[in-house]
Amino acid sequence: MPQPEGAELDAVLARREELRQRYLRPVVDRPPSTARGIHHVAFICRDVEETIRFYQEFLGFPLVEIVENRDYRGSTHFFFDIGHGNLLGFFDFPGHEHPPLEETIGGVQHLALSVGAAQFDAAREAMDAAGIDYLGPDRGVEDSLYIRDPNGVPLELYQEQLGIFNGERILGRTGVEG
């Protein structure tokens, strides 16, 4: 994808700074969010068992529920615990094609999951042992591993604590530090 250069890049950077100045408030001046958090994020999967094995056995996210999708008879809806009261959900839609995931406007660029150093290292070792391709520190980001799940869902395993980005606290205390 071509990146902006010259005057176009200058305009993009100026616009970003204008937005920062207009809308971004210091942490101490921000009102609390009106949401309680993410109940669940839901993706579509091709194969229920393959997806369960990847998330539960490979990444260590416990499967916590598996039911019929209330909106589509015969479809399975299942959830993984991804920590701090957050759920990662999936549906399958038997009988439907599942084209490859495409990065596009309005689509998912990636889902970043905060993991500790031990889980980060274990995931990297498991990916190396299984021959799974990933992007990691070689692209200049020491704390991230980018992978795709068996359904093509882009994931980032990110070694930054919740509420922190690039080493800076961008959220007030979340109650889930550590």
Side-chain angles (χ1 to χ4, degrees), residues 58-61 82-84 111-124 127 143-145 147 155-162 178:
F58 191 71
L59 292 181
F61 303 159
I82 57 171
H84 301 290
L111 175 64
L113 300 165
S114 176
V115 298
Q119 176 60 23
F120 185 87
D121 292 340
R124 184 189 313 205
M127 286 184 275
D143 296 332
S144 295
L145 293 176
I147 59 175
L155 302 172
E156 176 186 8
L157 301 182
Y158 193 34
Q159 281 193 99
E160 191 114 58
Q161 290 183 5
L162 296 173

Side-chain angles (χ1 to χ4, degrees), residues 13-29:
L13 298 176
R15 177 67 175 147
R16 181 183 311 135
E17 186 55 31
E18 176 188 333
L19 293 171
R20 286 181 65 80
Q21 294 300 318
R22 183 180 300 161
Y23 296 108
L24 186 61
R25 298 178 188 161
V27 171
V28 296
D29 294 339

